[in-house]
Amino acid sequence: MTEPAHGVTLEGIYRARHRLAGQAVRTPLVRSAALSARFEADIRLKLETCQPTGAFKLRGATNMIAALIERHGRDALAAGVTTASTGNHGRAVAYAAARLGVPAVICLSSLVPANKVAAIEALGAEVKRVGESQDEAFAEVERLVRDQGMTLIPPFDDPLIAAGQGTIGLELMEDAPDLDRVIVGLSGGGLLGGIGAAVKAIRPACRITGVSLSQGAAMWESLQAGRPVAVAEVESLADSLGGGIGLANRCTFELVRAVMDDHYQVSQTAIARAMVDILDHEKLLVEGAAAVGLAALAEHGIDVRGETLALILSGNGVALETLDRARTIAGR
Ligand SMILES: *Cc1c(COP(=O)(O)O)cnc(C)c1O
C-alpha cells in the first residue's frame, strides 16, 4: 500500500497507541442520558478531560517525542524539545518530555499571566519569557532549534502528532463499534484528522463532522479557498480553536480534506450555552473548544435522530473568569 501524502496511516496510529501505553490515559466513553433524550440519539461523550494535563494534546506530544527517541536515540534529543504555547499544547509538551526524560523549553511572551507560567513549570519544563507576542515567542523557538539543536514539537501539523490524536479514533471504534458519527472541534486539524484517519480506515460509513468557530476559523477559510490561508485571530470562549493552520501546512490540511464529511461553524452564544449545559447536566467542566460539538447540534439542528454518535470533550482548560463569561452570555 502506498502512503498517503499527508503521512497519517492506520499503522502509524497503532504504533502511536503502543507508545502511549502508560503515558496517556485511555479515556472513558460515557453515554449521556440527558443529551440522548434531547436529540433522540445515542450520544456518547469521550472524556479527554481525564488526561493528566486536562486535554487530548498529550497524545500527540507523547507520540512524537517517543517516536523521535526510538528513531534517533535519546542522545539526539539531549538538547531538548521546544514549542511556544500557553495552552494545552504547552502543557502537553512539558508533561510528556518530563515523563520521557527529555528536557523541554516552552517559550512564552512576557504578557502570559504568571499562573499559566507557573502551571507549565510545575509540569517540569523550563519556561523562557521572550517578547510581547506569540510571534516573538515563536521566533525564539526557531532560534533555539537553529542555534541550540533543540527539536520543535508542533501543535498539529505533523503525521506523528495527528497519529497520536488518532488513538482516540481507535478507542472509539473499540468502545462503540456501531458508531454512526463523531463530532469534533476543528482548529489546526490534528485532532479531527487523526480521529478521521483511524475511524475511516475501520468503519468508512461513520461520518466525521467538524466544528469550527464562526469567526477567525483558519481551516474553514482555507478549505473554502482550496489552499492554506491566514485569518485574523478573534477573541473567543473557545480560545483553543484560535490560530492559523500555517501557510506552509504539509499534513493536516490534506488530511482534513480527505476524512471530513461535513463542517459547521458555531457562534459564541451557542458555545456558551453548550458549556453551561455540559456543566449543569453532565457535571463536567469543559472549555469552550470542547463544547462546540454540542453547540453545533443545538445551533444547526443537525438531524441525528436514531444515530449513535460521539462528542469529543477535548479539554478542560478553562479559567473561572471565562466560565463566568460563558454563564453571562448563556444567561444561566
Ligand atoms: C488544540 C485543541 C483543539 C483543536 O485541535 P486541532 O488539532 O488544533 O484541530 C480542540 N480542543 C482543545 C481542548 C484543544 O486544546
Side-chain angles (χ1 to χ4, degrees):
M1 221 173 92
T2 58
E3 180 140 319
H6 50 67
V8 182
T9 61
L10 187 61
E11 192 193 342
I13 298 170
Y14 275 109
R15 263 186 262 133
R17 162 135 87 186
H18 195 70
R19 296 184 188 112
L20 295 194
Q23 305 291 340
V25 172
R26 189 195 188 291
T27 56
L29 183 68
V30 182
R31 185 169 190 274
S32 164
L35 293 176
S36 295
R38 177 171 162 196
F39 294 101
E40 299 175 51
D42 183 351
I43 299 191
R44 321 280 180 92
L45 306 175
K46 181 66 170 163
L47 304 187
E48 288 304 298
T49 49
C50 294
Q51 295 295 352
T53 53
F56 72 89
K57 283 204 175 66
L58 185 58
R59 296 177 186 257
T62 300
N63 184 47
M64 183 158 183
I65 297 170
L68 293 175
I69 292 173
E70 260 170 49
R71 282 179 199 171
H72 308 298
R74 193 169 291 277
D75 288 351
L77 291 186
V81 294
T82 184
T83 199
S85 159
T86 60
N88 292 327
H89 178 61
R91 297 167 55 82
V93 171
Y95 183 92
R99 294 275 304 187
L100 295 168
V102 169
V105 175
I106 312 296
C107 298
L108 301 178
S109 94
S110 59
L111 301 181
V112 173
N115 60 333
K116 284 199 167 183
V117 174
I120 287 178
E121 284 172 341
L123 293 168
E126 179 192 331
V127 169
K128 197 156 185 191
R129 311 298 300 273
V130 271
E132 308 221 311
S133 70
Q134 180 70 11
D135 284 350
E136 286 177 73
F138 198 76
E140 177 64 10
V141 167
E142 289 181 325
R143 197 190 66 75
L144 291 173
V145 170
R146 194 177 59 236
D147 298 348
Q148 309 214 353
M150 298 192 80
T151 301
L152 168 67
I153 307 297
F156 53 85
D157 194 26
D158 188 285
L160 288 167
I161 298 290
Q165 327 304 28
T167 56
I168 294 172
L170 298 182
E171 295 169 16
L172 291 174
M173 290 289 92
E174 289 162 356
D175 294 348
D178 56 351
L179 205 60
D180 297 306
R181 186 196 294 264
V182 187
I183 308 187
V184 198
L186 173 57
S187 177
L191 178 63
L192 183 143
I195 291 175
V199 167
K200 290 292 184 188
I202 296 168
R203 183 170 161 83
C206 181
R207 294 185 80 76
I208 304 293
T209 297
V211 186
S212 295
L213 301 176
S214 57
Q215 287 186 300
M219 186 63 86
W220 180 282
E221 301 297 337
S222 299
L223 290 168
Q224 300 285 317
R227 68 190 150 79
V229 296
V231 296
E233 213 167 311
V234 178
E235 158 87 19
S236 170
L237 284 173
D239 51 342
S240 294
L241 296 186
I245 69 164
L247 294 178
N249 188 291
R250 62 190 191 94
C251 167
T252 55
F253 177 66
E254 286 307 328
L255 179 60
V256 168
R257 261 220 288 221
V259 301
M260 184 165 65
D261 294 291
D262 40 17
H263 194 181
Y264 296 88
Q265 290 180 298
V266 288
S267 68
Q268 293 299 299
T269 308
I271 295 171
R273 288 186 181 142
M275 287 173 75
V276 177
D277 276 345
I278 292 169
L279 181 58
D280 194 16
H281 299 308
E282 311 300 330
K283 306 304 171 196
L284 292 168
L285 178 63
V286 298
E287 58 180 284
V292 296
L294 174 56
L297 282 176
E299 187 166 36
H300 294 284
I302 306 171
D303 186 2
V304 295
R305 282 173 299 172
E307 289 186 11
T308 299
L309 68 98
L311 302 180
I312 310 300
L313 301 193
S314 51
N316 62 13
V318 57
L320 284 178
E321 307 84 76
T322 309
L323 181 63
D324 283 347
R325 200 146 58 82
R327 291 192 62 190
T328 304
I329 295 171
R332 292 172 54 201

